[in-house]
Amino acid sequence: MEELYPIIQYVNEEGEFSDDSIKEEITAELVHSFYYHMLRIRTFDRKAKSLQRQGRLGTYALFEGQEAAQVGSALSLKKDDWVFPTYRDHGALLTFGANMPKVLLYWNGRAEGNLHPDRNVFPPAVPIATQLPHAAGAAWADKRKGNKNVSIAYFGDGATSEGDFHEGMNFASVFKLPVVFFNQNNGYAISVPIEKQMNSKTIAQKSVAYGMPGIRIDGNDIFAVYIETKKAFDRARNGDGPTLIEAVTQRFGAHTTADDPTKYRDQHEVDSTRDQLDPLLRLERFMKDQTYWDEKWVQEISIQINEEIEEAIVEMENFPKANVEDLFDHVFEELPWPLQEQKEQYLQSVRRDQ
Ligand SMILES: Cc1ncc(C[n+]2csc(CCOP(=O)(O)OP(=O)(O)O)c2C)c(N)n1
Ligand SMILES: [Mg+2]
């Protein structure tokens, strides 16, 4: 099966073309936008981890290592498309144009962090794989409306063991929907390695059962991610239905800030392979090799990115305090009496403490 689904790669670990058939499509503007967005989300991710450690952000899901997969796929979207992320895909959301202070608010447990102005972004799915049928549903709506929008569902390797994965894939293929199922195979579902999750060698091969194209790409090669995702979106916009993409990648850090990966993963192996796998380093090597690298520009964007993040943090921290009643709202149309009682008791205790 691995032979049937070879990993598509255009730029290798050394930053050199392993397949230069795409050379004509590469412009300086595109390469710079890849680098800018990858640096931006990596800086955001590291800052968010540090905020969590300082007690200024709640539990946070890190994505360092998955930047090429998230940026390459999000940059190939159009403004009116629909994005269905997991809790690990805020890098993709930020690249797509989601609001940074709102992303931070989400990680502080605020419902307001789920709504992004001007972008069709669903709240991150924490229940694994539930977003795949949602994405299929949105794509169905767009198909019926007759517009050219597409949906993308992000999901991890672990999500493929859920019923929702199969339901979403089946529905999308039967109705030939404009949706891309974008898998980031980072090798783990929390502590469970992929060999213990499934008995198939690839995720891409699962497309066969649903009669849709499946491809396997090097998720650390932003060129492969961008170009192959764009092709899948073009097919979807042309009425040719869904595609399953498996982007083979890795997370360098913990599952979340509440996890200790040394309990289930050999840290030495992670450290020793990092130089070869880091997607940002690969792009930097490519840019230096192809004379796209400009030290002054990199310094300028680093400053600009840091300022943007600092401003977003200020906005998040100055956001009006949460209304404690929110805890009880948005679940039932009418609150059942035990919850009504709990709400009253809780509000009394809050008032006592004030
Ligand atoms: C339905 C459901 N079952 C279990 C969990 C607990 N859980 C949270 S993250 C996770 C692992 C998911 O792994 P994967 O899909 O590979 O995504 P990754 O975290 O690697 O990005 C699990 C099992 C959950 N959130 N939802
Ligand atoms: Mg995973």
Side-chain angles (χ1 to χ4, degrees):
M1 272 299 169
E2 280 160 308
E3 283 126 50
L4 284 178
Y5 293 94
I7 293 184
I8 300 171
Q9 183 195 67
Y10 293 106
V11 171
N12 67 20
E13 290 74 2
E14 312 311 322
E16 294 157 356
F17 279 116
S18 42
D19 171 353
D20 67 3
S21 62
I22 56 157
K23 234 175 176 165
E24 299 296 304
E25 292 175 54
I26 308 297
T27 61
E29 195 189 349
L30 186 66
V31 173
H32 283 131
S33 102
F34 286 166
Y35 191 81
Y36 167 77
H37 283 288
M38 282 168 72
L39 182 67
R40 178 172 177 256
I41 67 167
R42 175 162 294 183
T43 312
F44 175 91
D45 194 55
R46 289 186 176 175
K47 187 74 197 181
K49 180 181 172 188
S50 137
L51 288 176
Q52 190 279 334
R53 294 290 188 250
Q54 295 167 49
R56 294 161 70 189
L57 211 62
T59 301
Y60 174 78
L62 312 107
F63 55 71
E64 183 157 336
Q66 300 184 205
E67 292 91 344
Q70 298 202 11
V71 169
S73 53
L75 281 182
S76 50
L77 285 159
K78 293 189 178 168
K79 186 177 170 285
D80 290 329
D81 292 335
W82 288 85
V83 179
F84 294 79
T86 74
Y87 48 80
R88 204 181 300 291
D89 301 311
H90 31 295
L93 293 195
L94 288 169
T95 306
F96 180 50
N99 179 276
M100 193 182 282
K102 294 223 164 192
V103 173
L104 289 168
L105 279 169
Y106 169 84
W107 288 105
N108 254 338
R110 297 296 297 269
E112 295 88 339
N114 284 317
L115 292 174
H116 293 273
D118 311 323
R119 287 295 183 279
N120 298 325
V121 168
F122 256 55
V126 177
I128 303 301
T130 49
Q131 72 280 19
L132 278 86
H134 298 165
W140 194 25
D142 275 331
K143 183 170 179 167
R144 289 177 65 105
K145 285 181 196 159
N147 61 37
K148 290 275 177 198
N149 297 343
V150 298
S151 293
I152 183 168
Y154 287 94
F155 59 103
D157 40 288
T160 64
S161 297
E162 289 281 354
D164 276 349
F165 164 77
H166 301 279
E167 289 158 29
M169 295 270 290
N170 189 53
F171 194 92
S173 65
V174 169
F175 289 88
K176 235 177 172 194
L177 300 178
V179 55
V180 170
F181 295 107
F182 189 86
N183 171 256
Q184 289 168 86
N185 177 358
N186 63 10
Y188 284 88
I190 315 186
S191 56
V192 182
I194 194 139
E195 315 79 68
K196 289 191 178 164
Q197 293 176 37
M198 61 188 74
N199 199 27
S200 50
K201 291 276 181 228
T202 75
I203 286 171
Q205 74 196 64
K206 295 173 195 280
S207 59
V208 175
Y210 301 102
M212 71 171 80
I215 56 164
R216 206 162 187 234
I217 59 177
D218 181 343
N220 300 325
D221 170 11
I222 188 155
F223 296 91
V225 179
Y226 177 78
I227 286 167
E228 295 303 321
T229 314
K230 204 153 186 290
K231 279 188 205 162
F233 286 143
D234 287 345
R235 278 175 27 80
R237 283 187 223 282
N238 287 336
D240 294 330
T243 303
L244 172 63
I245 298 179
E246 174 186 0
V248 180
T249 182
Q250 69 293 307
R251 66 167 154 80
F252 291 136
H255 171 71
T256 68
T257 49
D259 168 51
D260 174 5
T262 62
K263 295 265 188 266
Y264 56 84
R265 202 173 66 171
D266 179 0
Q267 192 56 37
H268 174 70
E269 202 183 313
V270 178
D271 295 341
S272 61
T273 53
R274 173 149 190 161
D275 184 73
Q276 286 296 294
L277 297 177
D278 188 331
L280 199 58
L281 211 51
R282 188 183 306 193
L283 183 60
E284 182 178 329
R285 287 179 183 138
F286 173 85
M287 289 170 77
K288 285 180 173 160
D289 193 45
Q290 301 284 322
T291 64
Y292 287 117
W293 188 257
D294 175 350
E295 199 66 46
K296 196 163 156 275
W297 175 76
V298 173
Q299 279 175 15
E300 275 167 18
I301 59 163
S302 307
I303 293 170
Q304 187 193 322
I305 287 167
N306 276 300
E307 280 174 3
E308 182 196 9
I309 295 171
E310 290 305 326
E311 278 168 25
I313 295 168
V314 170
E315 198 174 324
M316 179 265 288
E317 294 192 325
N318 286 337
F319 200 75
K321 277 200 146 157
N323 179 356
V324 287
E325 294 188 33
D326 284 355
L327 273 176
F328 298 89
D329 293 340
H330 311 304
V331 178
F332 297 96
E333 189 180 6
E334 244 179 75
L335 215 53
W337 68 263
L339 283 179
Q340 187 62 40
E341 267 185 24
Q342 284 180 31
K343 180 177 174 179
E344 279 156 22
Q345 281 171 8
Y346 181 64
L347 289 176
Q348 267 174 18
S349 75
V350 171
R351 277 185 220 113
R352 254 200 321 271
D353 294 343
Q354 277 169 353

